[in-house]
Amino acid sequence: MNRTKIVIMGAAGRDFHNFQVCYRDDPSVEVVAFTATQIPGIENRIFPAELSGPLYPKGIPILRKQSLRISSAVIKSSR
């Protein structure tokens, strides 16, 4: 099965929460990165494999959105 690759853009942890609720165990989706938008100094870290689940044994990178070349993204807002 081809997995749909997405980047989750969010604010202050809401992105991580929505990953856990919506995408963590969804085999049809591959979250390739989170963006570092509101938490200073979080870029170039890894969302831990222990929290990412069995579909992400290496965890998920957290990157600056400026460093990504993407055609679509999932934006999660706390509003």
Side-chain angles (χ1 to χ4, degrees):
M1 170 197 307
N2 287 338
R3 296 173 72 189
T4 302
K5 295 181 180 197
I6 64 169
V7 171
I8 299 179
M9 302 173 74
R14 184 66 182 192
D15 46 356
F16 305 132
H17 170 77
N18 283 307
F19 165 76
Q20 294 290 340
V21 172
C22 299
Y23 300 107
R24 181 180 189 264
D25 298 315
D26 185 348
S28 69
V29 173
E30 179 183 357
V31 176
V32 296
F34 292 102
T35 60
T37 54
Q38 289 188 338
I39 302 173
I42 197 172
E43 65 270 351
N44 300 319
R45 296 177 105 186
I46 301 288
F47 187 75
E50 298 82 7
L51 298 176
S52 299
L55 295 175
Y56 303 92
K58 296 181 180 179
I60 302 169
I62 303 168
L63 306 171
R64 290 181 339 133
K65 65 182 177 180
Q66 293 85 350
S67 68
L68 295 170
R69 291 179 160 195
I70 57 173
S71 58
S72 62
V74 175
I75 300 173
K76 297 294 184 182
S77 174
S78 58
R79 293 183 193 205

